[in-house]
Amino acid sequence: MPLPERLQLGHPDPMGSTVRDGGVNFAVFSDHAKVIELCIFDTGGAREVKRYALHGPDDGVFHGFLPGAAAGLVYGYRAHGPYEPARGHRFNAHKLLLDPYAREIIGRHAWRAEHHGFELGHPEGNRSFDRRDNALHALKARVAATSRPAAGHLNAPRIPKADLVLYELHVKGFSRTHPDIPEPLRGTYAALAHPTSIAHFKSLGVTVLSLLPVHYRLDEARLVERALHNYWGYNTIGFFCPDPRLARAGADPTEVADEFRAMVATLHEHGIEVVLDVVYNHSAEGDENGTTLSFRGLDHASWYRLQADDRSRCENLTGCGNTLNIAHPRVTQWVLDSLRYWVHDMGVDGFRFDLAPVIGRTRHGFDPHAAFFTALRQDPVLARAHLIAEPWDIGYDGYQLGRFPARWLEWNDKFRDSVRRYWLIGSGGGSGGGGGVGRGELARRFTASSDLFHHGQRQPMSSVNFIVAHDGFTLADLVQYSRKHNEANGEANHDGHGGEVCANFGAEGPSDDAEIVALRSRVRRALVATLLLAQGTPMLCAGDEIGRTQHGNNNAYCQDNATSWLDWSQVDTDFLAFVAEVLALRRAEPALRYERWFHAPPAAHHERCLSWFTPAGQTMQLNDWHDAGQHAFACRIDASPHGGRHLIVAFNPTAQPHPLRLPAGQWQVALDSARELPSGSAGPADGPFRMPARSLVVLRGSATGKGR
């Protein structure tokens, strides 16, 4: 295609590159650039064939229209402006810049000195200026075809919140070794839509796949030097692009996006939703000593938060060197545009926000009424999306559990730690800071942490309950290691959380001792039963249901190998069946997925009430809640009159069986995590009932039983 000599006046909206009117419109934001040039490359991205100065800026947006251009055109930007690091400006037109709105990215990134805006090793450090051109080795954008609603957007299941069961997984790790998935598909988006994968999800009973980051990411230079990879993917550079490394080999960017869309649409056909773990808190450019790949070169002082007393330095609230400045209106717009693209064009159902307080930070700290939250609330495309916060970052005022807007769900680490301590430490075992927890703390967490979420318009489902996530021990390792074993990461075992609550029950690592193995299995079942039957939104970590181990590595972020991949040759079929059984019980009993806060007895019409009682059958009093010597107790969930069955959930974390006096009525065992009491067996009417050691027991009662 012959290129015209001049770029026509374009539109400042939409941002990025857009096919329209027989050409392509380009729009890019910068508050401080003097000139931004559009650089056109050959189809392979090796040779720059034309350069145009964009028009503008109009309200901070540079723009232009290239008639005759079409999808497939390869381009980048060069930004001219002040190079004044002390004022936060790092413009360097010798560096080709990736469009922040790029929907297709070509090239292969390598860590080269010329990607820095300054001269490495120069006496003036990052205040020096590098004049080498990096275009040959830079990532470049490719114009994508006209935007369209994805099939997954049109056939979304819209699962009610009460039925959400999250399943956190890594796209590659889930299927990489699965023998029943064709080799070319293993580790890919397509593999998640394979009948074998869908059969597993359905038989297990999960309803939402929460995918670890799938945006286009880079491996950090320090990992490349050690021949490692950022396996988890929390180092994004392309926020509109699915990572090609998770697609079928040889796929070009268009095919990668199509594979992702097809995966989502197929999962939707089977009633399974897809949530993405997204990283809008930092970019892969690193701190002020990092590279100039995109955002930094376009407008460092606008895209990033800079230290108030030294604008030459990035504010690092993420532990990754930089922090994106979401408080800037154009950065807010960019995040919303990216989210909208993944819902409308790719079909996903929601997002889990990594280090989410960053997106609500203003100059005065976190604000649940920040501009981003207000804009998000008004967005019609994102109105149906699930929004899940990791409610902490590493900055000042960074722990914000329970403070997000009403619509949001939040990862509840207090549930994780309290449930672990109750089953692993409170009854005399395990290690980890903080000691055990009493019955009151366990009761709060089991009933959706009302101390954190019962305010404003928050509901119980706001609490995302989990025992294990990608970051930390697997569930199997939680009960067979007493300390982390991260030596393979190459950081002398200094990385990862050193105070995880865990227990090895007498032997570090795998054991041939039958008693130890049985005890570990018993406690693991009690842990997962507590998770899946607690009020709130449960989240399983992929592989925990089959007994996955990382051999004690609790920070396997850089282990793109058998350490992190699910081993389908070593499936704990008994535990897998148990997890499915517990989730089936949750589905069968509306009281175990109740969307509203429980009331004190008696229950009003169409309401449910909950009461707690001691093993002696007496209503828990203040002194009972504070009795550190007693651990076993139970709750009774009652429906309104004529409203169905009653349930008892009993907890015994001790090493010995414990008698429990049941309320009057007829009770049958619905679940015994210890697997000593047959399902359906009857408990004595108004008499002592034997709770097995280290067990959670659920009993069903008839509607005629009287509340306490």
Side-chain angles (χ1 to χ4, degrees):
M1 178 196 78
L3 294 170
E5 288 301 313
R6 291 183 179 84
L7 199 64
Q8 295 181 10
L9 190 68
H11 294 306
D13 181 73
M15 303 290 282
S17 59
T18 309
V19 178
R20 68 166 182 86
D21 303 329
V24 176
N25 191 83
F26 297 88
V28 61
F29 146 74
S30 180
D31 270 343
H32 300 101
K34 303 302 182 183
V35 175
I36 293 183
E37 294 175 312
L38 170 68
C39 303
I40 307 300
F41 287 80
D42 61 17
T43 56
R47 182 173 61 91
E48 184 176 338
V49 297
K50 198 72 175 178
R51 191 179 298 190
Y52 301 97
L54 290 170
H55 297 272
D58 292 326
D59 193 21
V61 178
F62 293 81
H63 52 87
F65 180 74
L66 188 61
L73 186 75
V74 177
Y75 72 98
Y77 293 121
R78 296 181 188 271
H80 299 257
Y83 190 81
E84 300 173 349
R87 297 178 58 197
H89 301 313
R90 296 184 177 274
F91 292 98
N92 186 335
H94 299 284
K95 310 304 171 185
L96 189 78
L97 306 173
L98 182 67
D99 186 352
Y101 279 78
R103 289 192 282 141
E104 295 187 358
I105 296 175
I106 68 165
R108 190 179 185 91
H109 178 79
W111 292 104
R112 303 177 63 92
E114 56 263 44
H115 288 318
H116 290 75
F118 60 93
E119 291 186 38
L120 293 177
H122 192 280
E124 294 184 8
N126 63 29
R127 293 173 185 255
S128 62
F129 189 79
D130 188 284
R131 298 183 182 277
R132 287 173 293 180
D133 194 298
N134 74 330
L136 178 62
H137 306 286
L139 294 174
K140 301 169 183 73
R142 191 171 79 180
V143 177
T146 304
S147 174
R148 66 189 189 279
H153 179 63
L154 301 174
N155 73 344
R158 306 294 294 271
I159 296 171
K161 283 190 177 181
D163 297 333
L164 298 180
V165 179
L166 302 175
Y167 185 72
E168 189 194 35
L169 64 81
H170 188 284
V171 171
K172 182 176 183 179
F174 177 81
S175 64
R176 183 62 185 84
T177 71
H178 205 301
D180 297 329
I181 294 176
E183 175 64 35
L185 298 187
R186 294 178 192 170
T188 69
Y189 304 119
L192 293 185
H194 189 272
T196 296
S197 301
I198 292 173
H200 180 76
F201 304 144
K202 298 287 283 185
S203 65
L204 187 59
V206 298
T207 60
V208 181
L209 304 188
S210 182
L211 308 185
L212 265 66
V214 300
H215 290 176
Y216 196 111
R217 51 87 176 168
L218 302 181
D219 294 323
E220 293 91 332
R222 60 182 178 80
L223 292 180
V224 173
E225 292 171 358
R226 302 203 302 268
L228 296 172
H229 302 280
N230 188 322
Y231 172 70
W232 287 348
Y234 292 93
N235 202 43
T236 310
I237 193 66
F239 291 80
F240 289 74
C241 298
D243 194 326
R245 284 169 282 199
L246 302 176
R248 281 175 281 193
D252 81 352
T254 302
E255 294 170 332
V256 171
D258 287 344
E259 181 181 333
F260 185 94
R261 291 188 185 100
M263 171 200 74
V264 174
T266 301
L267 289 166
H268 283 180
E269 289 173 4
H270 293 273
I272 299 170
E273 293 186 331
V274 177
V275 164
L276 303 186
D277 195 334
V278 289
V279 190
Y280 296 106
N281 57 76
H282 75 280
S283 84
E285 289 187 307
D287 63 12
E288 61 276 3
N289 295 310
T291 49
T292 297
L293 305 175
S294 178
F295 313 95
R296 175 163 290 130
L298 288 168
D299 194 344
H300 178 71
S302 294
W303 278 99
Y304 294 117
R305 292 175 64 101
L306 306 181
Q307 293 191 11
D309 59 347
D310 183 359
R311 292 185 61 78
S312 71
R313 299 182 62 191
C314 292
E315 190 174 18
N316 185 10
L317 305 176
T318 64
C320 301
N322 64 58
T323 305
L324 286 164
N325 183 23
I326 309 300
H328 191 290
R330 290 295 183 186
V331 184
T332 292
Q333 177 188 354
W334 168 77
V335 175
L336 292 170
D337 287 346
S338 175
L339 296 174
R340 198 180 301 112
Y341 171 77
W342 286 96
V343 170
H344 181 269
D345 288 48
M346 304 299 276
V348 305
D349 304 281
F351 308 92
R352 178 266 189 190
F353 292 79
D354 181 63
L355 304 182
V358 166
I359 63 176
R361 281 188 176 274
T362 68
R363 287 180 296 175
H364 308 292
F366 177 80
D367 183 357
H369 304 290
F372 174 83
F373 295 127
T374 300
L376 183 63
R377 184 179 294 116
Q378 298 169 348
D379 193 290
V381 174
L382 300 174
R384 70 172 181 84
H386 301 302
L387 305 174
I388 305 171
E390 180 186 39
W392 50 80
D393 61 32
I394 69 166
Y396 58 91
D397 196 30
Y399 190 76
Q400 296 294 334
L401 178 61
R403 291 200 61 209
F404 279 75
R407 178 184 164 196
W408 286 65
L409 312 184
E410 301 178 40
W411 274 28
N412 187 349
D413 63 324
K414 290 187 181 296
F415 179 95
R416 174 197 65 194
D417 295 343
S418 296
V419 172
R420 285 189 187 188
R421 288 185 175 117
Y422 181 79
W423 291 107
L424 300 178
I425 294 179
S427 56
S431 61
V437 299
R439 295 182 287 192
E441 175 67 7
L442 191 279
R444 272 191 295 271
R445 303 304 157 222
F446 190 76
T447 52
S449 298
S450 60
D451 57 325
L452 300 170
F453 296 108
H454 196 180
H455 61 83
Q457 298 178 13
R458 304 303 297 271
Q459 297 297 325
M461 296 305 171
S462 298
S463 176
V464 175
N465 302 328
F466 66 105
I467 303 292
V468 162
H470 67 276
D471 186 0
F473 285 126
T474 68
L475 186 62
D477 288 353
L478 193 65
V479 296
Q480 62 181 358
Y481 290 95
S482 62
R483 59 187 182 278
K484 61 188 171 110
H485 296 268
N486 299 353
E487 291 79 8
N489 296 352
E491 301 178 41
N493 205 32
H494 295 312
D495 63 302
H497 184 28
E500 273 204 79
V501 181
C502 53
N504 66 19
F505 293 100
E508 187 72 0
S511 174
D512 294 328
D513 187 310
E515 290 187 7
I516 291 177
V517 171
L519 178 55
R520 289 172 172 174
S521 295
R522 178 183 286 246
V523 173
R524 193 158 45 114
R525 289 194 299 271
L527 283 164
V528 82
T530 305
L531 166 66
L532 299 180
L533 300 180
Q535 191 181 21
T537 302
M539 183 182 78
L540 279 169
C541 188
D544 282 342
E545 75 277 13
I546 64 172
R548 181 174 74 97
T549 178
Q550 291 180 170
H551 312 291
N553 190 325
N554 77 343
N555 189 37
Y557 76 102
C558 58
Q559 298 298 319
D560 187 2
N561 51 48
T563 298
S564 296
W565 304 338
L566 274 63
D567 184 355
W568 292 99
S569 69
Q570 300 291 326
V571 175
D572 185 338
T573 55
D574 183 68
F575 190 68
L576 174 60
F578 178 76
V579 175
E581 177 188 354
V582 180
L583 280 173
L585 177 61
R586 180 184 178 90
R587 289 193 302 274
E589 295 291 348
L592 297 174
R593 45 189 171 86
Y594 190 47
E595 292 186 82
R596 303 172 68 178
W597 297 103
F598 287 115
H599 293 273
H605 189 58
H606 295 308
E607 296 286 355
R608 296 183 186 275
C609 65
L610 180 143
S611 56
W612 295 93
F613 59 96
T614 69
Q618 302 300 314
T619 299
M620 293 279 288
Q621 303 297 321
L622 184 62
N623 61 306
D624 296 314
W625 291 117
H626 292 285
D627 187 347
Q630 297 294 324
H631 302 284
F633 70 137
C635 70
R636 173 172 169 168
I637 306 173
D638 291 314
S640 59
H642 316 295
R645 288 183 298 218
H646 307 287
L647 294 178
I648 289 175
V649 184
F651 307 85
N652 179 21
T654 69
Q656 301 297 326
H658 207 298
L660 173 70
R661 180 167 290 276
L662 298 176
Q666 298 298 317
W667 300 96
Q668 288 188 322
V669 174
L671 180 80
D672 168 26
S673 68
R675 293 205 155 168
E676 294 182 7
L677 305 172
S679 181
S681 60
D686 200 22
F689 170 78
R690 180 181 176 275
M691 282 191 293
R694 292 190 169 102
S695 70
L696 180 151
V697 177
V698 179
L699 300 107
R700 290 188 177 107
S702 64
T704 57
K706 296 180 180 179
R708 291 192 159 271

